[in-house]
Amino acid sequence: MIDIILILIVVAVIIVLVIAARQPADFRITRTGTISAPASATFPHVNNLQNWEAWSPWAKLDPNAKNAFEGPSEGVGAKMSWAGNNKVGVGSMTITESRPNDFIQFRLEFQKPMQATNTAEFAFKSEGDQTTVTWTMTGTNNFMGKVMGLIMNCDKMVGGQFAQGLASLKAVVEASK
């Protein structure tokens, strides 16, 4: 009887590993929100990393996280590092491209709870007094990331945080008009 149970466990593990190996290596998570303000009023809240504290969903997950800033206060080369609880982890983000009122790209480097390097982007599209902001993160899953993707829906989890962040960004920008 124990032999059969052990064989079933081994078969189950092999099936999970095969399914994980067949998962896509690349991922993309995107959420969009509309803010009742022009891009010129919205852009600085993202381009200046010190402004993130007011709207970032991760600031609310760990209000005691330690943040450090390097380089310029905004635009290309601006860098923020953080160390927080297990919900926030340890990592940094650096602005690698910044086109005023149009586009910002970041290099995200996560150290804990898992090591990963991803790209995040914010695109701003103005139409009158409205700005559509699209927040995207892309990257490559290593094998452990693929296994984790079988257990939890990363698009739903991270996408939900992006949606919260965009809602908070909307509230901050619209309140400052």
Side-chain angles (χ1 to χ4, degrees), residues 37-45 100-101 124 126 131:
S40 59
T42 305
F43 184 84
H45 292 276
N101 308 324
F124 303 83
S126 280
T131 300

Side-chain angles (χ1 to χ4, degrees), residues 44-125:
H45 292 276
V46 180
N47 195 50
N48 185 325
L49 299 180
Q50 294 181 20
N51 290 338
W52 280 57
E53 189 71 24
W55 62 269
S56 168
W58 298 283
K60 292 164 183 56
L61 288 175
D62 185 2
N64 297 317
K66 304 293 185 234
N67 296 327
F69 300 93
E70 298 175 42
S73 61
E74 60 187 43
V76 174
K79 180 178 181 178
M80 180 175 87
S81 300
W82 66 87
N85 62 22
N86 61 351
K87 293 179 183 177
V88 174
V90 176
S92 66
M93 64 182 182
T94 305
I95 297 177
T96 58
E97 185 176 346
S98 178
R99 296 190 310 259
N101 308 324
D102 179 48
F103 181 80
I104 304 169
Q105 184 177 70
F106 299 86
R107 176 181 172 89
L108 298 171
E109 297 176 277
F110 301 103
Q111 296 164 356
K112 290 182 183 177
M114 291 176 51
Q115 289 191 341
T117 300
N118 299 323
T119 299
E121 299 173 347
F122 283 80
F124 303 83
K125 184 177 180 189

Side-chain angles (χ1 to χ4, degrees), residues 20-21 23-29 107-108 110 114-120 137-149 154:
Q23 297 301 303
D26 297 326
F27 70 88
R28 179 181 188 86
I29 299 168
R107 176 181 172 89
L108 298 171
F110 301 103
M114 291 176 51
Q115 289 191 341
T117 300
N118 299 323
T119 299
M137 183 171 70
T138 58
T140 301
N141 278 325
N142 60 20
F143 187 75
M144 281 307 298
K146 291 179 181 184
V147 171
M148 294 300 292
C154 292

Side-chain angles (χ1 to χ4, degrees), residues 29-33 133-136 155-160 162-163 166:
I29 299 168
T30 300
R31 295 297 185 272
T32 300
V133 180
T134 302
W135 189 355
T136 302
D155 182 79
K156 186 175 181 179
M157 182 180 69
V158 174
F162 283 9
L166 289 169

